[in-house]
Amino acid sequence: MDRLDNTIRPYAWGSTTAIPELLGVRPTGEPQAEMWMGAHPGAPSRTGRGTHVEVIDADPAKELGAEAVARFGPRLPFLLKILAAGAPLSLQVHPDLAQAKEGYDDEERRGIPVDAGHRNYKDANHKPELICALTEFDGLCGFREPARAAELLDALGVDSLKPYVDLLHARPEEAALREVLTAVLTADREEMAHTVTEAAAACARLGGDHAPYADIAHHYPGDPGVIAAMLLNHVRLQPGEALFLGAGIPHAYLDGLGVEIMANSDNVLRCGLTPKHVDVPELLRIVRFEAADPGVLRPEASPDGEEVYETPIDEFRLSRYVLPEGAATHDLTRPTPQILLCTAGSVRAGEHELSPGQSVFVPAGETAEVSGTGTVIGFTVNQQQWM
């Protein structure tokens, strides 16, 4: 079992206080957006045996287990982050596995450098993800019913939005959502910026359900993504609640602290709320134009105290253990690799004392006993999906 020393990424949208408060350290005054745990080459965790990448490369079968290596190759198939949003992140979608392979191969054939700003596919993998709230957490997830989106837009009283309102009422669901999103993202930029300014003022005046979009517009003035965001469900997670984000589902994180786990990929198609490249035709190929309830996940308890967040994919599985004072030692040994993260209290994992924000990596099959008073979140592969 290795204690992980993890890198904090200082993206501009990050909170200046949330991660320091979790870790119990003094804020630096700079944004601290994400703390990465695992073996992603962009910011691998460090251990007493080298970086996590080096540890796994030295003996993949021992660290990951033969079954996981056979299934996913000699690399940890998931990336874990503590995410602290102090401002909205970009509105985005992720491709499914076939789309990612197709897009990656196409850009490779065309010789687009992998680090080019207009490159869409950095790898050939999909990027399903799950966000579990540690504090109250706001986000956008999936399309609203077209009639509900029309109602939200119509209430603003902005004349230039009326054609979108009419489309949302007149067309079948998939066509309505596709046509309106396409129109928003391809509109004249100057005219759309004026529309966004009017819409933002109306959102601030109306408050209530419109309030989140006034805040989004404050951070991204004139961005077409502000109008696109109003087509989506607004979700407020309570601590311990989660969202699973599958392929093609438009989403954005707005504010709060959470734990995010995803397949080990960096493939993102952006819709807006960003100065980065937006490839509208490719985005429209990936987005699933269907209205759906966001599907807030709450953990399902098992007799041994494990609370599982069920997801339909292979690469990761998230579960939680709440250890009350005086609780017996829990044996979390698994045949698969896992990262254990303390999110509250004081927990002992093997020989390691963990306080909030600290984590360990447990190789496949290694003994993993935890005790203490607090909360431990466990991350591993979803073996039940591929056995």
Side-chain angles (χ1 to χ4, degrees), residues 37 76-83 127-132 243-245 253 258-264 309 311 313 315-319 339 377-382:
M37 286 162 273
L76 192 66
F78 59 81
L79 171 63
L80 169 62
K81 303 176 181 179
I82 293 176
L83 184 146
K127 193 174 180 276
E129 59 191 40
L130 182 144
I131 183 80
C132 180
L243 286 174
F244 173 72
L245 301 161
Y253 301 144
V259 176
E260 184 184 31
I261 187 169
M262 65 198 70
N264 205 344
Y309 295 81
T311 57
I313 51 90
E315 285 90 343
F316 60 77
R317 178 180 186 272
L318 185 152
S319 60
I339 291 175
I377 299 183
F379 309 85
T380 187
V381 295
N382 201 356

Side-chain angles (χ1 to χ4, degrees), residues 187-231:
D188 178 84
R189 295 289 295 196
E190 187 173 333
E191 292 178 4
M192 179 53 67
H194 181 70
T195 295
V196 171
T197 299
E198 286 190 88
C203 285
R205 184 179 66 254
L206 291 168
D209 289 346
H210 291 86
Y213 307 98
D215 184 65
I216 292 170
H218 170 74
H219 290 284
Y220 297 97
D223 193 305
V226 175
I227 305 302
M230 297 184 73
L231 302 175

Side-chain angles (χ1 to χ4, degrees), residues 58-140:
D59 195 342
K62 178 179 182 297
E63 301 296 329
L64 306 178
E67 291 179 338
V69 171
R71 183 75 178 183
F72 304 110
R75 65 189 186 101
L76 192 66
F78 59 81
L79 171 63
L80 169 62
K81 303 176 181 179
I82 293 176
L83 184 146
L89 282 68
S90 63
L91 187 60
Q92 59 188 253
V93 296
H94 306 301
D96 64 25
L97 191 56
Q99 291 165 337
K101 289 179 177 177
E102 181 182 350
Y104 179 79
D105 289 345
D106 174 64
E107 291 184 325
E108 287 289 281
R109 281 193 299 270
R110 289 191 283 141
I112 301 175
V114 73
D115 58 352
H118 64 289
R119 173 115 184 193
N120 294 315
Y121 298 94
K122 306 300 173 63
D123 52 68
N125 200 15
H126 63 166
K127 193 174 180 276
E129 59 191 40
L130 182 144
I131 183 80
C132 180
L134 297 180
T135 65
E136 196 171 75
F137 192 97
D138 278 21
L140 305 172

